Amino acid sequence: MRIHITSVFVDDQEKALRFYTDVLGFVKKHDVPVGTDRWLTVVSPEDPDGTELLLEPSGHPAVPPYKTALVEDGIPAASFAVDDVPAEYERLRGLGVTFTQEPLEMGPITAAVLDDTCGNLIQIVHTKA
């Protein structure tokens, strides 16, 4: 068993697609109309057949309070692996990304947390071998 698709709830799918592709560097995998929304997934360009991230619409009434609570408590909705957290932090800051946590070393892990502009906090992380 392996993870095939996971998701983040986004306020605006088109805005999310731009952020996750143009800023974070993912590539669009699927974009299928589903009523007024879309089945919209992105993947890592390094693993185009790997785990997909579904940019899930935030339309369900339970989603806004859930997302608000996570953000207020500083809890990331997802965590993405990077090779070098400080370098990725600087690259993303240069693109105007807002961080709620600067790179922080915690034993073998270095992590930072960013705002995805779509209502979520996202953690970038690297684990030393």
Side-chain angles (χ1 to χ4, degrees):
M1 189 176 303
R2 63 189 184 280
I3 298 170
H4 174 61
I5 296 175
T6 189
S7 64
V8 291
F9 291 107
V10 297
D11 300 335
D12 178 320
Q13 285 185 299
E14 190 58 37
K15 180 179 178 183
L17 179 62
R18 285 191 306 272
F19 182 82
Y20 280 80
T21 57
D22 297 346
V23 178
L24 296 185
F26 291 101
V27 293
K28 182 170 58 174
K29 175 85 176 199
H30 295 288
D31 189 352
V32 179
V34 181
T36 58
D37 296 314
R38 296 146 69 183
W39 178 263
L40 183 59
T41 67
V42 295
V43 294
S44 169
E46 297 168 12
D47 191 9
D49 295 320
T51 304
E52 296 177 46
L53 179 66
L54 175 63
L55 303 176
E56 180 87 32
S58 293
H60 189 281
V63 173
Y66 167 74
K67 285 175 57 175
T68 298
L70 289 179
V71 170
E72 286 177 355
D73 289 345
I75 299 171
S79 182
F80 303 143
V82 298
D83 292 332
D84 182 334
V85 172
E88 192 66 11
Y89 169 82
E90 290 301 330
R91 181 187 80 81
L92 293 172
R93 277 187 30 147
L95 294 172
V97 174
T98 301
F99 280 80
T100 61
Q101 176 192 302
E102 295 182 0
L104 178 64
E105 288 190 33
M106 300 168 281
I109 295 170
T110 302
V113 178
L114 62 94
D115 179 337
D116 78 348
T117 73
C118 303
N120 302 292
L121 298 179
I122 302 295
Q123 181 180 62
I124 57 172
V125 65
H126 174 78
T127 303
K128 295 175 189 168

